[in-house]
Amino acid sequence: MMKNYITFLLIFIVAVFFAQTYKPIDTADYKQRKDFIKNYSLNNELLVKSLKAKYSGKTGGELSKIYNELGKDFEKQVKNKDFIFNSVFDAKVKDIIGRLRKNNPQIPEDLKILIAKDNTPNAYCFADGTFVINMGLFNWLNNDDQLAAVISHELGHKMTEHTLKTFLGLINQNQLDKMVVQDIKSTKENRNQRAFSVLKNRVYKKGSENRKQEMQADSLGYTVFKNSDFTRTEFINTLKRLEDFDTISPKELKVETYKKFFNLPKQEFKDKWLKKEDFSLYNYDHFKSKLNKDSLKSHPEITLRIDHLKKLFPELKTEVADEKASGSYAVLEKTARMETLPNLYHAEDYGIGIYVSLQFLQDGEEEKYYKAWLGKCFLKIYEARKNYNLNRYLDRVDPKNQSESYQQFLNFMWNLSLDEIKNIADHYQKGS
């Protein structure tokens, strides 16, 4: 009875909290970022030295270059505020890792957790023990156990040093490719065909290696997961949930939604805005099509990974519905959902920001909040159109790789004139 009461109280608190105007997470964390970069830089230097000592010659030199470049790139991301420190998400991740570590002493002790302002449900771990969790995981997954499953999978990669093995493989492959390229240059016959064969074989090999690594991380991750106090079937449910993810929401945006939010007091809605251009005859990327025709895959299908796990662990053959989220997870899930637009805005994905805002508004969610983001994103689109660099922030229509709804949205956006975009931006910037 007491447990039910506490759960109800948590949900009630969440409802009251979000009934107020939500304020995005504050990223004024200069000192934390500065201290993190300093420690990360020192750890990366030590890592590079150890790799040089372990791998001599060209291999050691190439590895040091790779890790130095990775380190510089990661530091730039930290300086760019791509991560948040000491957020509401940290305690949950630390708690889950602590639960996983209880019966799994092989999990490294020096893990440092960063939460990324990224809406994709993903996580990754650097060689120095920096564990990055994308905010999108909290929004997309359904409960603590599913979050633990993703973390376990990434720990599997970390414990088997898959990243290092991948880099070693690439260095070795580069040496082989150089020899092949020299061979191609020495002959005038079928150069293009032979060059493409080199690329194709390399991509095939990459796909094969990735498939093997993902399945290894799954099996090792699941072993860590099942040794803990999490529900075993949630590991499979997590993979199924991730399989459904699409970077751009496939949800349909209705014509009525456009008419509702773009029929403004000072600018009536125009049906011509929804006119579709025929892109069916456009050849966007012939080279990419050629690769796709050869059925090359850089990542294994999740269905194959699920089947592989079920063969190794018979207890996973029985399918069970997802468990309900705990009260504490529900709070984080809602927070991550509300951070969707701030994250898109931070990433300068203004076009997708408008599309997603409209979807939230179509569903009747937090109308004042999403109208404000609609205004912010339209203002950025206006500035880009004015400066002739709209392509940077708004996709072109691509029928082969986009849903009909997203194509309709892109046609709508490209059909708007500069003044019309400005009028929409002004209307929603004023808090209408």
Side-chain angles (χ1 to χ4, degrees):
M1 186 70 180
M2 180 58 72
K3 186 178 180 181
N4 290 337
Y5 174 75
I6 292 171
T7 301
F8 170 79
L9 187 63
L10 277 167
I11 293 170
F12 176 76
I13 290 170
V14 173
V16 171
F17 176 73
F18 284 104
Q20 305 168 18
T21 303
Y22 177 78
K23 293 183 179 179
I25 292 173
D26 185 9
T27 55
D29 44 21
Y30 174 76
K31 188 178 184 305
Q32 290 102 318
R33 282 185 286 117
K34 185 180 178 181
D35 290 343
F36 176 86
I37 289 170
K38 182 180 178 182
N39 292 327
Y40 177 81
S41 181
L42 288 172
N43 289 334
N44 204 49
E45 282 180 24
L46 292 172
L47 175 65
V48 168
K49 283 181 181 178
S50 67
L51 288 171
K52 275 187 173 181
K54 188 174 181 179
Y55 299 94
S56 60
K58 288 185 178 180
T59 300
E62 289 295 321
L63 277 176
S64 65
K65 284 181 186 177
I66 289 171
Y67 278 97
N68 276 323
E69 287 300 314
L70 278 175
K72 288 177 185 176
D73 183 61
F74 187 55
E75 287 178 26
K76 282 182 184 176
Q77 291 178 47
V78 177
K79 289 177 182 176
N80 191 45
K81 297 185 180 180
D82 290 357
F83 308 95
I84 54 175
F85 294 82
N86 300 329
S87 70
V88 292
F89 302 102
D90 289 73
K92 174 65 71 178
V93 176
K94 288 175 182 175
D95 175 65
I96 285 175
I97 291 176
R99 287 168 67 182
L100 290 169
R101 190 180 275 125
K102 277 184 181 178
N103 297 319
N104 295 287
Q106 72 274 33
I107 295 176
E109 290 286 345
D110 60 344
L111 295 177
K112 295 170 286 294
I113 295 147
L114 275 186
I115 306 298
K117 289 177 64 65
D118 191 321
N119 295 325
T120 56
N122 202 3
Y124 51 96
C125 193
F126 284 91
D128 75 320
T130 300
F131 210 116
V132 176
I133 309 287
N134 284 359
M135 209 180 289
L137 272 174
F138 296 89
N139 182 26
W140 190 250
L141 301 180
N142 291 325
N143 52 54
D144 296 63
D145 298 63
Q146 292 185 3
L147 182 60
V150 173
I151 292 172
S152 298
H153 173 88
E154 293 307 320
L155 285 170
H157 280 304
K158 166 69 177 168
M159 290 184 287
T160 49
E161 294 189 316
H162 277 159
T163 303
L164 175 60
K165 289 174 182 175
T166 298
F167 291 151
L168 288 170
L170 286 173
I171 290 167
N172 181 51
Q173 188 64 44
N174 281 337
Q175 299 302 320
L176 290 174
D177 285 352
K178 285 176 183 176
M179 292 169 64
V180 175
V181 168
Q182 290 300 322
D183 180 53
I184 291 172
K185 285 181 178 179
S186 67
T187 179
K188 295 181 180 180
E189 295 180 8
N190 300 323
R191 277 192 178 185
N192 290 338
Q193 187 177 349
R194 294 182 69 190
F196 184 77
S197 294
V198 171
L199 172 63
K200 186 171 74 171
N201 290 334
R202 183 163 186 171
V203 177
Y204 267 123
K205 183 174 180 180
K206 182 185 175 186
S208 174
E209 287 300 313
N210 278 6
R211 187 171 295 113
K212 183 179 177 182
Q213 288 189 358
E214 289 300 311
M215 288 182 173
Q216 283 178 347
D218 280 340
S219 55
L220 182 55
Y222 176 67
T223 302
V224 167
F225 185 82
K226 75 171 186 173
N227 287 342
S228 309
D229 57 351
F230 297 102
T231 304
R232 295 180 178 186
T233 49
E234 285 299 298
F235 202 92
I236 293 293
N237 289 344
T238 304
L239 289 174
K240 289 180 179 177
R241 184 73 183 135
L242 294 174
E243 190 174 29
D244 292 336
F245 179 77
D246 195 330
T247 305
I248 299 171
S249 173
K251 189 191 298 181
E252 181 186 358
L253 202 58
K254 299 173 183 175
V255 171
E256 292 77 15
T257 301
Y258 291 96
K259 293 181 177 180
K260 179 179 179 180
F261 293 103
F262 298 116
N263 187 30
L264 310 181
K266 295 182 180 179
Q267 180 172 279
E268 290 187 1
F269 184 85
K270 300 174 184 176
D271 288 328
K272 68 177 184 179
W273 289 342
L274 295 175
K275 184 181 177 182
K276 295 181 182 179
E277 186 174 345
D278 183 11
F279 290 86
S280 61
L281 299 177
Y282 284 26
N283 186 354
Y284 284 88
D285 194 343
H286 178 70
F287 189 68
K288 184 178 178 181
S289 297
K290 188 175 181 183
L291 281 176
N292 288 342
K293 195 174 181 181
D294 284 321
S295 301
L296 305 180
K297 295 183 183 296
S298 59
H299 297 285
E301 298 288 346
I302 288 184
T303 48
L304 294 177
R305 290 167 59 185
I306 290 173
D307 289 342
H308 181 70
L309 277 169
K310 286 181 177 179
K311 287 178 182 177
L312 290 178
F313 306 99
E315 69 269 22
L316 294 177
K317 289 180 180 178
T318 304
E319 297 189 6
V320 180
D322 293 19
E323 293 190 342
K324 290 184 179 179
S326 62
S328 61
Y329 189 87
V331 173
L332 299 179
E333 187 176 15
K334 180 66 175 179
T335 302
R337 187 172 176 82
M338 297 297 285
E339 287 293 318
T340 301
L341 263 298
N343 290 347
L344 288 171
Y345 192 84
H346 173 75
E348 299 185 342
D349 288 328
Y350 307 125
I352 296 174
I354 292 170
Y355 187 62
V356 173
S357 291
L358 287 169
Q359 290 188 337
F360 281 129
L361 288 167
Q362 180 175 272
D363 292 342
E365 291 192 40
E366 312 287 345
E367 191 163 297
K368 185 177 179 181
Y369 181 73
Y370 290 113
K371 279 183 175 180
W373 281 108
L374 203 59
K376 289 179 182 179
C377 290
F378 260 104
L379 181 60
K380 288 295 185 180
I381 291 294
Y382 166 73
E383 291 170 355
R385 181 76 173 266
K386 190 177 179 181
N387 295 322
Y388 301 100
N389 64 346
L390 187 54
N391 275 319
R392 182 177 173 184
Y393 308 108
L394 188 67
D395 292 333
R396 284 288 186 181
V397 178
D398 182 357
K400 293 180 181 179
N401 299 303
Q402 297 165 346
S403 67
E404 285 189 23
S405 177
Y406 189 56
Q407 290 176 56
Q408 175 67 85
F409 166 74
L410 293 175
N411 275 293
F412 167 78
M413 292 297 295
W414 285 104
N415 286 337
L416 293 170
S417 69
L418 182 65
D419 288 341
E420 288 165 346
I421 293 171
K422 181 68 164 59
N423 290 336
I424 295 171
D426 288 346
H427 176 78
Y428 284 109
Q429 282 283 98
K430 291 174 183 176
S432 301

